[in-house]
Amino acid sequence: MTGVGMDSLKGSKRIFILGCGGFIGSHILESLLADETIVIDGWDPDTSRLGHLLGHPRLLYRQCLFGDAGTSNGTEAAIEAADIVVNLAALCNPAEYNNNPLVTIYKNFCDILPFVELCAKHDKWLLHFSTSEVYGRTIASYLRDNDYGDPDYFEFEEDTTPLIMGPIVNQRWTYASAKQLLERVIYAYHKENGLDFTIIRPFNFFGPRMDYIPGREGNGVPRVLACFMSALLDRTPMQLVDGGKARRSILSIHDAVAAFELMLDRPDKAKGQIFNIGSRENEVTIQELAHLMRAVYADVSGDPSYKEHPIVEVSSDEFYGEGYEDCDRRVPNLDKASQLLSWTPEWSIDAILRETITYYYDLYGEGRKSKTVT
Ligand code: UGA
């Protein structure tokens, strides 16, 4: 473990973050560590996004697996010592859901269950990052004419919208089901044992350090931003799964961190709530996203030929394998976040893509400025 001894940290607010080294966690750490009253007990096996934070005097970092999150490795003591507990540990990569369904279920449900139990046992406020994917598909997608005319058929509202998933044979839904069941466990602990909780449902956060770029930081099929980035960097075609008709609403990681900090600042408003954290303005089809990304990449790289970068269509069976099924659309209702947290997102999709693409271009593009992840 790195960081200073406990004695010199007395009087601080201690936040235990499981999974602090991922995309969201690394940005939350950066922001929280700027507050001198906060000490972070942060656990994650992966240090690749934390290089600039390791050794910080108020970060007690432990390099360990969240699969070890039972009582045996000090988790209970860490939870007991914390004022607030945050769970960010998850396996969040659609290519894994249908190809490695058991790993997906274990990492997103079974491994985290004891963690939730310990929070209930020790009366801790648990802020749990779930997913917008618990909503599954929209009602509209099941209607004969796919009618998106009525928001009641596609907009997701935390406490009223039904959660609609496809059949068991479409193993895409292992992740959403595991995350949904964990939400239900947390809610049941709240109702039966008084567990203080806040559930956050992220809607496609984008930003620097989001995912590994295949062939550079790892291998496999990451989420769409990294897939398109790698195509641009490698001058290979961007691939639109099933025509790129699915829609996503993109939120800047900085807007997301701001929402999270408002929850910490307003426990009376945030406790006992599920929050959608996303953007309503930045909605695009995946095809539109590909077009936007190649235009921004052309600007960032100074090479106008990227405006015509090739885009091809590919079937989901070919791209993800058997058992993939897509979420058609994700539009968050943000009334609760606005009313209880006074939060509204600020970043436009153009600004988000520009920041993120510049980050990856500086790391890996031709004529890049640096070679290290910061
Ligand atoms: C994933 C996770 O499953 C969610 O839990 C998580 O909330 C979300 O990412 C997120 O980032 O917040 P999803 O949006 O389906 O959900 O993941 P992506 O892999 O980013 O796919 C988005 C869309 O792009 C899908 O329609 C997919 O088929 C498509 N896609 C992906 C392409 O057309 N081409 C690619 O190269 C990659």
Side-chain angles (χ1 to χ4, degrees):
M1 190 178 289
T2 58
V4 294
M6 289 286 296
D7 286 351
S8 58
L9 300 175
K10 275 187 184 140
S12 309
K13 189 189 287 174
R14 191 175 169 113
I15 304 180
F16 178 27
I17 306 182
L18 189 68
C20 69
F23 163 53
I24 300 173
S26 70
H27 284 274
I28 283 179
L29 279 194
E30 238 168 36
S31 187
L32 290 184
L33 287 171
D35 180 337
E36 292 186 355
T37 66
I38 290 178
V39 174
I40 309 282
D41 197 355
W43 290 19
D44 203 297
D46 180 7
T47 56
S48 61
R49 296 180 180 85
L50 298 179
H52 59 309
L53 298 171
L54 293 178
H56 189 288
R58 281 179 287 103
L59 174 60
L60 311 173
Y61 172 71
R62 183 163 162 189
Q63 188 166 20
C64 69
L65 286 168
F66 69 82
D68 303 337
T71 48
S72 60
N73 68 348
T75 315
E76 181 156 12
I79 288 176
E80 225 179 332
D83 298 300
I84 296 171
V85 178
V86 179
N87 177 44
L88 274 158
L91 184 150
C92 178
N93 181 344
E96 298 292 319
Y97 309 162
N98 56 314
N99 293 313
N100 287 306
L102 284 176
V103 173
T104 301
I105 293 167
Y106 272 82
K107 287 208 184 299
N108 291 297
F109 179 73
C110 307
D111 291 352
I112 311 300
L113 182 59
F115 193 77
V116 174
E117 291 164 347
L118 287 171
C119 289
K121 180 177 169 189
H122 293 287
D123 288 328
K124 297 298 171 181
W125 177 19
L126 170 64
L127 291 109
H128 170 68
F129 279 77
S130 184
T131 171
S132 52
E133 202 159 313
V134 293
Y135 292 108
R137 284 175 46 177
T138 64
I139 296 171
S141 73
Y142 285 97
L143 301 179
R144 203 165 295 152
D145 53 1
N146 267 226
D147 185 7
Y148 289 118
D150 182 348
D152 281 351
Y153 292 158
F154 67 85
E155 190 177 294
F156 294 148
E157 199 274 325
E158 296 94 332
D159 301 318
T160 57
T161 301
L163 313 179
I164 306 175
M165 274 149 224
I168 298 296
V169 290
N170 288 349
Q171 295 202 85
R172 156 65 188 247
W173 303 109
T174 51
Y175 172 76
S177 304
K179 293 290 250 189
Q180 186 196 138
L181 186 55
L182 200 65
E183 286 198 19
R184 291 193 187 277
V185 169
I186 291 169
Y187 192 74
Y189 267 113
H190 167 67
K191 286 306 230 188
E192 290 187 24
N193 298 61
L195 172 69
D196 279 331
F197 80 94
T198 303
I199 288 173
I200 298 133
R201 292 183 179 157
F203 283 66
N204 292 80
F205 300 171
F206 273 27
R209 302 195 291 269
M210 182 177 167
D211 269 341
Y212 66 92
I213 303 291
R216 292 174 174 82
E217 298 151 8
N219 288 305
V221 181
R223 285 173 293 185
V224 68
L225 172 95
C227 288
F228 286 174
M229 272 315 305
S230 108
L232 290 162
L233 290 163
D234 292 340
R235 292 187 183 266
T236 56
M238 299 158 101
Q239 300 184 70
L240 297 180
V241 174
D242 294 336
K245 293 184 184 65
R247 305 185 201 192
R248 295 291 186 270
S249 305
I250 312 298
L251 183 80
S252 163
I253 185 65
H254 308 301
D255 279 328
V257 171
F260 176 72
E261 292 198 331
L262 284 165
M263 292 173 204
L264 294 182
D265 288 348
R266 300 177 178 199
D268 53 321
K269 305 281 188 195
K271 283 182 183 177
Q273 298 294 345
I274 301 173
F275 288 103
N276 289 338
I277 297 300
S279 161
R280 295 175 63 83
E281 311 301 322
N282 296 338
E283 194 190 14
V284 284
T285 64
I286 298 303
Q287 184 183 41
E288 287 164 347
L289 179 68
H291 285 258
L292 284 171
M293 282 185 67
R294 69 180 183 178
V296 172
Y297 196 91
D299 257 16
V300 169
S301 65
D303 180 347
S305 72
Y306 275 104
K307 286 185 186 154
E308 301 306 321
H309 189 84
I311 296 175
V312 297
E313 295 192 7
V314 59
S315 76
S316 51
D317 266 9
E318 247 176 285
F319 193 81
Y320 289 112
E322 199 186 329
Y324 178 80
E325 185 181 337
D326 211 344
C327 305
D328 54 307
R329 188 173 185 188
R330 292 182 185 144
V331 178
N333 178 302
L334 298 177
D335 291 352
K336 214 202 270 193
S338 157
Q339 283 157 17
L340 295 181
L341 306 174
S342 302
W343 175 81
T344 41
E346 290 176 358
W347 283 61
S348 69
I349 190 155
D350 187 65
I352 296 168
L353 293 180
R354 207 158 282 276
E355 184 200 30
T356 311
I357 288 173
T358 302
Y359 167 81
Y360 283 114
Y361 182 78
D362 286 350
L363 269 182
Y364 300 123
E366 293 159 10
R368 62 191 179 275
K369 291 183 202 146
S370 64
K371 284 182 185 164
T372 46
V373 178
T374 57

